[in-house]
Amino acid sequence: MSSKRLIFNFTESELIVFLEENGFPKYMYKQLIKWIYTKYELNPYKFSDISKVNREKLKEIFSFQLPKIVKISIDPEDETKKYLLKVGKHEIETVLIKEKDHYTQCISTQVGCPLRCKFCITGTMGLKRNLSAGEIVGQVMAVIKESDIKPRNLVYMGMGEPLLNYENVMRSIEIYTNRKGLDFAFRKITISTIGILDKLKGLIKKFPKVTIAISLNQIPEEREDLMPAEKKYPILKILKYFEENKYFRPTFEYVLIKNINSSEKHAHKLLRLLEKIRCKINLIPYNENKIFPYESVSEEELNKFINILYKGPNAITVRRSKGKNIQAACGQLAGEKDAE
Ligand code: SAH
C-alpha cells in the first residue's frame, strides 16, 4: 500500500492546510490547482513554476493516479461513450453523453448500490464500497485526459446512491466547482437520489444552486414494491418538505414501466401528488435489459401519461436515454466484471 495522498481528494481549503503542514510555500496551492485542473498536467516534474526541490517533494507526498481506463464502448447511433474504469480492485462506469451544443457526463458515487431497486441493474450488485471524493473527481479528469472533452454538465446518476456517500459527494462538488480549478457551474450539476431527507437538507443548505433530482418512480402506496428503500426513506416526507419549502425547485424523475406504474390511474395520482409542489417532472421510458422482465411504455401510453400530467402546473420533460446500444443508459451500469 502506498501512503501517498491522492491529490484529487483535496478541497482547496484542505490543500492549503496540508501544504502548510508539509512545509511548502503558502501560495503553492494556487499553482497546483492550476496545473492539475486547468492544464490537466499530472506529472509534477512538469510544474515549471514550482522549484525542483518542491516538485520532488510533491511527487513523494501525493499520488496523481487517475482511475485507469479498462475499456471504452461507443454507441454508433448517438456517439455516447461508456468508460469502464478501474478503482483499486473494483470496476466502475462513467458515461460521456453528446448533446446538441455540449457534453454531459454521468458519474458514479459507489461501487454497486445498496438500494436494490427492483428494476435497476446496478442494484443487483449490492454495495461493494463508497468511492472517495478523489475517485469521483477522477472520473471527469480521466475522461478529459482521454477525450480532450470537458463536459459542461455533470449528473450524479451513475452507479450508487450519492446521498449514502454524503461526505465524499459533498467534497467532490466543492472540488468540481472551484473557480480556480475545474470551475463547473453549480446549476449544471445534478444530484439524483431516491430522497434521503436529512442529507438532502444538508445538501440544499450548503449548495443551494445544485440541481436535485428525486427518483420518485412510483406512487407512494406502491413505491415500496419497486424500491424497497421506500420503507426506510419514505417519499411522502420528501414531498412534504418541498411543499413547505417552495423556494427550492427540484426535479422528480419517474421511470415509466409498462403495467407497473404507467396507467392512467398512476398518472392522475402523480398529478395530484405533485400539483402543490413547485417542480419539474422528468419522465424516463424504461430502458429494457436482459436482467429484468420489465418492458418500456409505447409512445401512445407515454403520450396519454403526459397529457394527464399537463393538467397540472409543472413543466414536464421526457428523457430519451442515450447509449442504449452499449448498456450505458440509466440503470444499465454494472461494470463488466467484478474483480473480487
Ligand atoms: N441512486 C440514484 C442515482 C442512480 S439512478 C437515484 O436513485 O436517483 C439514476 C436514475 O435512473 C434514477 O431515476 C433511476 O430510477 C433511473 N433508472 C434506473 N434504472 C433504469 C432503467 N432501466 N431505465 C430507465 N431509468 C432507470
Side-chain angles (χ1 to χ4, degrees), residues 307-320:
N307 282 332
I308 294 170
L309 290 182
Y310 271 149
K311 297 189 182 113
N314 294 310
I316 298 150
T317 51
V318 178
R319 187 192 304 161
R320 305 277 171 187

Side-chain angles (χ1 to χ4, degrees), residues 17 27 31 48 62 127 140 142 182 195 210 240 253 260 313 316:
V17 173
Y27 54 81
Q31 294 168 310
S48 52
F62 289 110
L127 176 68
V140 167
L182 284 166
V210 159
K240 184 162 176 279
E253 298 163 282
I260 300 283
I316 298 150

Side-chain angles (χ1 to χ4, degrees), residues 106-107 109-110 113 115 117 119-122 156-163 191-195 213-217 223 227 253-257 284-289 292 319 321 329-332:
C106 176
I107 53 182
T109 55
Q110 298 183 312
C113 182
L115 296 177
C117 296
F119 54 88
C120 176
I121 298 176
T122 311
Y156 285 62
M157 293 187 188
M159 295 161 79
E161 167 50 45
L163 296 187
I191 310 290
S192 179
T193 171
I194 51 145
I214 314 276
S215 297
L216 176 64
N217 291 343
R223 194 170 182 252
M227 301 166 74
E253 298 163 282
Y254 194 94
V255 47
L256 280 165
I257 312 174
I284 317 168
Y286 185 69
N287 293 312
E288 295 177 6
N289 54 71
F292 301 112
R319 187 192 304 161
S321 287
C330 297
Q332 298 188 324

Side-chain angles (χ1 to χ4, degrees), residues 8 36-38 40 42 65-69 83 85 87 92-97 103-108 131-156 172-173 175-177 181-184 188-189:
F8 313 111
I36 295 166
Y37 294 118
T38 71
Y40 315 119
L42 302 181
Q65 182 68 50
L66 289 174
K68 199 168 160 285
I69 298 173
Y83 294 78
L85 302 175
V87 287
I92 55 163
E93 292 180 321
T94 186
V95 182
L96 185 67
I97 304 151
Y103 284 83
T104 296
Q105 189 172 342
C106 176
I107 53 182
S108 296
L131 294 180
S132 68
E135 288 167 336
I136 298 173
V137 172
Q139 292 171 55
V140 167
M141 291 294 287
V143 166
I144 293 176
K145 292 283 280 182
E146 186 279 329
S147 66
D148 230 3
I149 291 166
K150 186 188 164 202
R152 188 192 75 184
N153 295 12
L154 287 184
V155 294
Y156 285 62
S172 71
I173 297 172
I175 300 168
Y176 277 134
T177 52
L182 284 166
D183 196 20
F184 279 96
K188 304 287 183 210
I189 296 181

Side-chain angles (χ1 to χ4, degrees), residues 30 38 61-63 84 100 108 154 166 200 251 304 312 330:
K30 276 190 199 158
T38 71
I61 292 177
F62 289 110
S63 155
L84 183 67
K100 256 190 217 108
S108 296
L154 287 184
Y166 184 74
L200 206 52
T251 297
K304 257 193 198 152
C330 297

